[in-house]
Amino acid sequence: QFQLQESGPGLVKPSETLSLACSVSGGSFTSPGYYWAWIRQPPGKGLEWIGSISYSGLPYFNPSLKSRVAMSVDTSKNQFSLKLNSVTAADTAVYYCARDRRYLDWSLFWYFDLWGRGSLITVSS
Amino acid sequence: QAALSQPPSASGSPGQSVTISCTGSSGDVGTYDYVSWYQQHPGKAPRLMIYEVNKRPSGVPDRFSGSKSGNTASLTVSGLQGEDEADYHCSSYAGSNNYVFGTGTKVTVL
């Protein structure tokens, strides 16, 4: 069945760049009507949407993170990626990748219907 | 955009109902019927429970229902069961291809 799996370094030093990848399997990565999202959750806190990207590479970012975020896709690998630069301890969180449902025919949707298991990223020297 | 406001905790006895609120603004919940709710058990990924205010994905029990009035959306869990003990997060479309999440509510089954 459809699965998403995050992969990342686990530990990142302050001021460096956090890089994460999400591998998609069990279904089409290029189906129209879906975007691919990154969402994070600091320890003991709520969820925060980081951004979403289409399979063709069109990204949308959370305005509060936009200056530090980049996202990309690799359709040959069924994979999409996140880069967050100039990290601080406040960026310590579990990072989830998710499928972002957007539209079907003339209907619009705005929700995340499938999630990866999450990857804990700790920012520390 | 500011996070949607949820109560930190809610509780109920087995068989009872619990309702969780999610308060936003005219820039998100008040304008768009794209409110979704997610259940998250400890150490697990969130699971979609409600989308478009009151629609349930396949496989979600009909004990879960959603509604909206003005800038506030609500999730009601009827006939509480032990497995419903979890964190619940709301989310709304906030315009300009943006999402906003709520602060999260921990539901305890007494």
Side-chain angles (χ1 to χ4, degrees), chain B:
Chain B
Q1 61 240 9
L4 307 176
S5 181
Q6 296 180 236
S9 62
S11 62
S13 299
Q16 289 187 333
S17 295
V18 66
T19 297
I20 305 164
S21 63
C22 170
T23 301
S25 69
S26 58
D28 38 63
V29 176
T31 294
Y32 303 104
D33 287 338
Y34 295 119
V35 176
S36 51
W37 289 90
Y38 303 86
Q39 177 191 64
Q40 185 180 30
H41 288 110
K44 301 294 186 183
R47 173 193 177 192
L48 177 68
M49 304 301 283
I50 295 285
Y51 66 97
E52 289 180 23
V53 176
N54 56 15
K55 297 180 181 177
R56 281 187 310 278
S58 174
V60 173
D62 59 7
R63 302 184 291 103
F64 291 85
S65 62
S67 62
K68 191 185 89 166
S69 177
N71 295 339
T72 298
S74 299
L75 173 72
T76 298
V77 186
S78 306
L80 266 176
Q81 299 182 5
E83 67 210 49
D84 300 331
E85 184 162 295
D87 292 331
Y88 291 84
H89 306 272
C90 63
S91 176
S92 175
Y93 178 60
S96 301
N97 287 284
N98 291 322
Y99 286 96
V100 61
F101 277 98
T103 51
T105 297
K106 180 177 178 59
V107 169
T108 301
V109 181
L110 301 171

Side-chain angles (χ1 to χ4, degrees), chain A residues 55-91:
Chain A
Y55 73 85
S56 60
L58 179 63
Y60 295 100
F61 301 129
N62 185 322
S64 67
L65 297 168
K66 187 175 183 178
S67 63
R68 298 196 293 131
V69 174
M71 294 177 66
S72 60
V73 297
D74 186 337
T75 55
S76 67
K77 295 181 179 179
N78 279 6
Q79 201 172 72
F80 63 106
S81 300
L82 169 72
K83 290 188 185 298
L84 180 66
N85 62 37
S86 304
V87 297
T88 69
D91 296 310

Side-chain angles (χ1 to χ4, degrees), chain A residues 16 18 24 26-27 40 44 49 56 62 66-67 70 88 99 119 125:
Chain A
E16 294 189 346
L18 176 165
V24 178
R40 69 180 182 179
W49 174 70
S56 60
N62 185 322
K66 187 175 183 178
S67 63
T88 69
R99 190 172 73 173
S119 177
S125 55

